[in-house]
Amino acid sequence: MKTEQLLQVAAGVILHPMHPGKFLLSKRPMDRHLGGLWEFAGGKIEADETPERAIIRELKEEFDVEVTVNKKVTHHIYHYPEVSLELHTFEVVITSGDIKLLEHDEISWVTIDDVDKYPIAPSNKMIIDYLRIKH
């Protein structure tokens, strides 16, 4: 029997520093897996990293910003046909730098009331569910 390996991934709910209730969504490039869908930025956790360190590194690589991790938001497993993810999601705030689009096509600061206007990556929908309960 084949044992499925879970890809370890960290994601960040980046909170807007001046507008409580707003968070950042980023649009995946069209030429990548799930291209054109919106997500909470993040990426693969490296073998020597904790999920918290991974989200700090990933947001630096993707947006050239420094962040502080506030708290864990969700931890869940999602199965795509081609890969299964173990997703560790954290609430974070930007502590320095201005967002640069280094790996995404677009970003948007949204409220939970606006989020349904965006086609969300399926693995990120549980994060949205959490935010709906929180707000």
Side-chain angles (χ1 to χ4, degrees), residues 4 6 9 12 14 28 36 46 48-50 53 57 72-73 75-76 88-90 96 117-119 130-133:
E4 181 178 26
L6 294 173
V9 176
I14 302 172
R28 293 184 61 82
E46 295 178 358
D48 61 342
E49 285 183 314
T50 64
R53 290 298 313 154
R57 176 186 51 77
K72 193 164 211 170
V73 172
H75 174 226
H76 67 279
H88 306 263
T89 308
F90 299 91
S96 69
K117 299 173 187 170
Y118 298 82
Y130 166 83
L131 293 172
R132 284 188 203 288
I133 293 167

Side-chain angles (χ1 to χ4, degrees), residues 4-6 76-86 122-123:
E4 181 178 26
Q5 184 173 354
L6 294 173
H76 67 279
I77 294 172
Y78 188 85
H79 301 283
Y80 286 108
E82 59 281 357
V83 66
S84 293
L85 309 176
E86 184 169 2
S123 62

Side-chain angles (χ1 to χ4, degrees), residues 1-12:
M1 181 175 175
K2 181 181 165 187
T3 303
E4 181 178 26
Q5 184 173 354
L6 294 173
L7 184 61
Q8 298 293 311
V9 176

